[in-house]
Amino acid sequence: QVQLGESGGGLVQAGGSLRLSCVASGGIVSNFAMGWFRQAPGKEREFVAAIHRSAAITSYADSVKGRFTISRDNAKNTVFLQMNSLKSGDTAVYYCAARRGYYPETNRRSYDFWGQGTQVTVSS
């Protein structure tokens, strides 16, 4: 059973940056495509970014494209989400997810394992 643990969330001013980390235990990150999703109060969980198992391909939601970057460090069994130019609309709980396979899927139902989430709050 793989377990995912997110960290790096917090309070930041609009226009600022945060870097989220997701460390896998009980499994090897290189065996999974990885994704980030977020859920704001009163809204459904939505896709943010995902990365191919080999890191050769990435996918981003239109709302974060150009501002967020997903990356992975297989040696550290970790996936990252660098968030720049943060907006108040980015405020949400951010979840790390893993799926068996190679490709970065955007549908949350395609993911097999989920972290507990980390809160990101952007003040304006």
PDB file of all heavy atoms in Angstrom, residues 53-69:
ATOM      1  N   ARG A  53       5.003   9.170 -15.999  1.00  0.00           N
ATOM      2  CA  ARG A  53       5.874   8.324 -15.200  1.00  0.00           C
ATOM      3  C   ARG A  53       7.352   8.608 -15.449  1.00  0.00           C
ATOM      4  O   ARG A  53       8.161   8.582 -14.511  1.00  0.00           O
ATOM      5  CB  ARG A  53       5.540   6.851 -15.491  1.00  0.00           C
ATOM      6  CG  ARG A  53       6.396   5.836 -14.774  1.00  0.00           C
ATOM      7  CD  ARG A  53       5.785   4.464 -14.959  1.00  0.00           C
ATOM      8  NE  ARG A  53       6.687   3.396 -14.557  1.00  0.00           N
ATOM      9  CZ  ARG A  53       6.352   2.121 -14.485  1.00  0.00           C
ATOM     10  NH1 ARG A  53       5.110   1.752 -14.788  1.00  0.00           N
ATOM     11  NH2 ARG A  53       7.240   1.216 -14.111  1.00  0.00           N
ATOM     12  N   SER A  54       7.690   8.895 -16.685  1.00  0.00           N
ATOM     13  CA  SER A  54       9.074   9.191 -17.049  1.00  0.00           C
ATOM     14  C   SER A  54       9.411  10.679 -16.954  1.00  0.00           C
ATOM     15  O   SER A  54      10.557  11.062 -17.193  1.00  0.00           O
ATOM     16  CB  SER A  54       9.359   8.710 -18.466  1.00  0.00           C
ATOM     17  OG  SER A  54       8.711   9.526 -19.417  1.00  0.00           O
ATOM     18  N   ALA A  55       8.432  11.513 -16.649  1.00  0.00           N
ATOM     19  CA  ALA A  55       8.549  12.970 -16.595  1.00  0.00           C
ATOM     20  C   ALA A  55       8.662  13.607 -17.976  1.00  0.00           C
ATOM     21  O   ALA A  55       8.886  14.806 -18.072  1.00  0.00           O
ATOM     22  CB  ALA A  55       9.724  13.405 -15.718  1.00  0.00           C
ATOM     23  N   ALA A  56       8.495  12.837 -19.026  1.00  0.00           N
ATOM     24  CA  ALA A  56       8.618  13.358 -20.375  1.00  0.00           C
ATOM     25  C   ALA A  56       7.418  14.208 -20.797  1.00  0.00           C
ATOM     26  O   ALA A  56       7.544  15.020 -21.716  1.00  0.00           O
ATOM     27  CB  ALA A  56       8.803  12.208 -21.356  1.00  0.00           C
ATOM     28  N   ILE A  57       6.275  14.016 -20.166  1.00  0.00           N
ATOM     29  CA  ILE A  57       5.051  14.706 -20.527  1.00  0.00           C
ATOM     30  C   ILE A  57       4.405  15.266 -19.270  1.00  0.00           C
ATOM     31  O   ILE A  57       4.337  14.585 -18.247  1.00  0.00           O
ATOM     32  CB  ILE A  57       4.057  13.765 -21.231  1.00  0.00           C
ATOM     33  CG1 ILE A  57       4.696  13.117 -22.462  1.00  0.00           C
ATOM     34  CG2 ILE A  57       2.783  14.515 -21.624  1.00  0.00           C
ATOM     35  CD1 ILE A  57       3.858  12.008 -23.061  1.00  0.00           C
ATOM     36  N   THR A  58       3.920  16.487 -19.350  1.00  0.00           N
ATOM     37  CA  THR A  58       3.164  17.089 -18.264  1.00  0.00           C
ATOM     38  C   THR A  58       1.848  17.649 -18.788  1.00  0.00           C
ATOM     39  O   THR A  58       1.727  17.975 -19.968  1.00  0.00           O
ATOM     40  CB  THR A  58       3.943  18.211 -17.565  1.00  0.00           C
ATOM     41  OG1 THR A  58       4.340  19.190 -18.531  1.00  0.00           O
ATOM     42  CG2 THR A  58       5.194  17.660 -16.888  1.00  0.00           C
ATOM     43  N   SER A  59       0.867  17.756 -17.901  1.00  0.00           N
ATOM     44  CA  SER A  59      -0.424  18.328 -18.235  1.00  0.00           C
ATOM     45  C   SER A  59      -0.811  19.340 -17.168  1.00  0.00           C
ATOM     46  O   SER A  59      -0.515  19.138 -15.986  1.00  0.00           O
ATOM     47  CB  SER A  59      -1.503  17.240 -18.323  1.00  0.00           C
ATOM     48  OG  SER A  59      -1.237  16.325 -19.369  1.00  0.00           O
ATOM     49  N   TYR A  60      -1.490  20.413 -17.582  1.00  0.00           N
ATOM     50  CA  TYR A  60      -1.894  21.459 -16.662  1.00  0.00           C
ATOM     51  C   TYR A  60      -3.308  21.914 -16.962  1.00  0.00           C
ATOM     52  O   TYR A  60      -3.732  21.949 -18.118  1.00  0.00           O
ATOM     53  CB  TYR A  60      -0.967  22.677 -16.758  1.00  0.00           C
ATOM     54  CG  TYR A  60       0.454  22.410 -16.366  1.00  0.00           C
ATOM     55  CD1 TYR A  60       1.406  22.079 -17.318  1.00  0.00           C
ATOM     56  CD2 TYR A  60       0.847  22.489 -15.034  1.00  0.00           C
ATOM     57  CE1 TYR A  60       2.721  21.824 -16.954  1.00  0.00           C
ATOM     58  CE2 TYR A  60       2.162  22.238 -14.662  1.00  0.00           C
ATOM     59  CZ  TYR A  60       3.088  21.908 -15.617  1.00  0.00           C
ATOM     60  OH  TYR A  60       4.393  21.660 -15.255  1.00  0.00           O
ATOM     61  N   ALA A  61      -4.016  22.260 -15.904  1.00  0.00           N
ATOM     62  CA  ALA A  61      -5.288  22.931 -16.086  1.00  0.00           C
ATOM     63  C   ALA A  61      -5.050  24.308 -16.696  1.00  0.00           C
ATOM     64  O   ALA A  61      -4.039  24.958 -16.414  1.00  0.00           O
ATOM     65  CB  ALA A  61      -6.015  23.068 -14.752  1.00  0.00           C
ATOM     66  N   ASP A  62      -5.991  24.756 -17.514  1.00  0.00           N
ATOM     67  CA  ASP A  62      -5.834  26.060 -18.147  1.00  0.00           C
ATOM     68  C   ASP A  62      -5.677  27.182 -17.123  1.00  0.00           C
ATOM     69  O   ASP A  62      -4.966  28.162 -17.367  1.00  0.00           O
ATOM     70  CB  ASP A  62      -7.032  26.352 -19.049  1.00  0.00           C
ATOM     71  CG  ASP A  62      -7.041  25.503 -20.303  1.00  0.00           C
ATOM     72  OD1 ASP A  62      -5.988  24.951 -20.668  1.00  0.00           O
ATOM     73  OD2 ASP A  62      -8.113  25.402 -20.932  1.00  0.00           O
ATOM     74  N   SER A  63      -6.309  27.035 -15.981  1.00  0.00           N
ATOM     75  CA  SER A  63      -6.289  28.082 -14.972  1.00  0.00           C
ATOM     76  C   SER A  63      -4.916  28.274 -14.326  1.00  0.00           C
ATOM     77  O   SER A  63      -4.666  29.324 -13.725  1.00  0.00           O
ATOM     78  CB  SER A  63      -7.326  27.791 -13.887  1.00  0.00           C
ATOM     79  OG  SER A  63      -7.061  26.551 -13.253  1.00  0.00           O
ATOM     80  N   VAL A  64      -4.045  27.278 -14.427  1.00  0.00           N
ATOM     81  CA  VAL A  64      -2.733  27.376 -13.797  1.00  0.00           C
ATOM     82  C   VAL A  64      -1.593  27.334 -14.800  1.00  0.00           C
ATOM     83  O   VAL A  64      -0.431  27.528 -14.411  1.00  0.00           O
ATOM     84  CB  VAL A  64      -2.529  26.268 -12.746  1.00  0.00           C
ATOM     85  CG1 VAL A  64      -3.670  26.269 -11.742  1.00  0.00           C
ATOM     86  CG2 VAL A  64      -2.389  24.901 -13.404  1.00  0.00           C
ATOM     87  N   LYS A  65      -1.893  27.099 -16.046  1.00  0.00           N
ATOM     88  CA  LYS A  65      -0.859  26.981 -17.069  1.00  0.00           C
ATOM     89  C   LYS A  65      -0.037  28.261 -17.140  1.00  0.00           C
ATOM     90  O   LYS A  65      -0.574  29.366 -17.195  1.00  0.00           O
ATOM     91  CB  LYS A  65      -1.496  26.666 -18.416  1.00  0.00           C
ATOM     92  CG  LYS A  65      -0.533  26.178 -19.479  1.00  0.00           C
ATOM     93  CD  LYS A  65      -1.293  25.694 -20.712  1.00  0.00           C
ATOM     94  CE  LYS A  65      -2.184  24.508 -20.381  1.00  0.00           C
ATOM     95  NZ  LYS A  65      -2.900  23.996 -21.580  1.00  0.00           N
ATOM     96  N   GLY A  66       1.270  28.098 -17.134  1.00  0.00           N
ATOM     97  CA  GLY A  66       2.161  29.242 -17.152  1.00  0.00           C
ATOM     98  C   GLY A  66       2.532  29.755 -15.786  1.00  0.00           C
ATOM     99  O   GLY A  66       3.476  30.551 -15.661  1.00  0.00           O
ATOM    100  N   ARG A  67       1.812  29.331 -14.750  1.00  0.00           N
ATOM    101  CA  ARG A  67       2.099  29.758 -13.387  1.00  0.00           C
ATOM    102  C   ARG A  67       2.603  28.622 -12.506  1.00  0.00           C
ATOM    103  O   ARG A  67       3.425  28.845 -11.620  1.00  0.00           O
ATOM    104  CB  ARG A  67       0.848  30.361 -12.739  1.00  0.00           C
ATOM    105  CG  ARG A  67       0.309  31.590 -13.453  1.00  0.00           C
ATOM    106  CD  ARG A  67      -0.799  32.254 -12.647  1.00  0.00           C
ATOM    107  NE  ARG A  67      -1.958  31.384 -12.489  1.00  0.00           N
ATOM    108  CZ  ARG A  67      -2.439  30.979 -11.318  1.00  0.00           C
ATOM    109  NH1 ARG A  67      -1.858  31.369 -10.183  1.00  0.00           N
ATOM    110  NH2 ARG A  67      -3.508  30.200 -11.258  1.00  0.00           N
ATOM    111  N   PHE A  68       2.098  27.426 -12.736  1.00  0.00           N
ATOM    112  CA  PHE A  68       2.465  26.266 -11.928  1.00  0.00           C
ATOM    113  C   PHE A  68       3.352  25.329 -12.734  1.00  0.00           C
ATOM    114  O   PHE A  68       3.207  25.209 -13.958  1.00  0.00           O
ATOM    115  CB  PHE A  68       1.224  25.484 -11.487  1.00  0.00           C
ATOM    116  CG  PHE A  68       0.347  26.175 -10.485  1.00  0.00           C
ATOM    117  CD1 PHE A  68       0.531  27.509 -10.147  1.00  0.00           C
ATOM    118  CD2 PHE A  68      -0.677  25.474  -9.878  1.00  0.00           C
ATOM    119  CE1 PHE A  68      -0.285  28.142  -9.225  1.00  0.00           C
ATOM    120  CE2 PHE A  68      -1.503  26.091  -8.950  1.00  0.00           C
ATOM    121  CZ  PHE A  68      -1.305  27.425  -8.627  1.00  0.00           C
ATOM    122  N   THR A  69       4.237  24.632 -12.043  1.00  0.00           N
ATOM    123  CA  THR A  69       5.104  23.649 -12.672  1.00  0.00           C
ATOM    124  C   THR A  69       5.150  22.393 -11.820  1.00  0.00           C
ATOM    125  O   THR A  69       5.443  22.461 -10.625  1.00  0.00           O
ATOM    126  CB  THR A  69       6.526  24.183 -12.857  1.00  0.00           C
ATOM    127  OG1 THR A  69       6.505  25.386 -13.639  1.00  0.00           O
ATOM    128  CG2 THR A  69       7.391  23.152 -13.577  1.00  0.00           C
TER     129      THR A  69
END
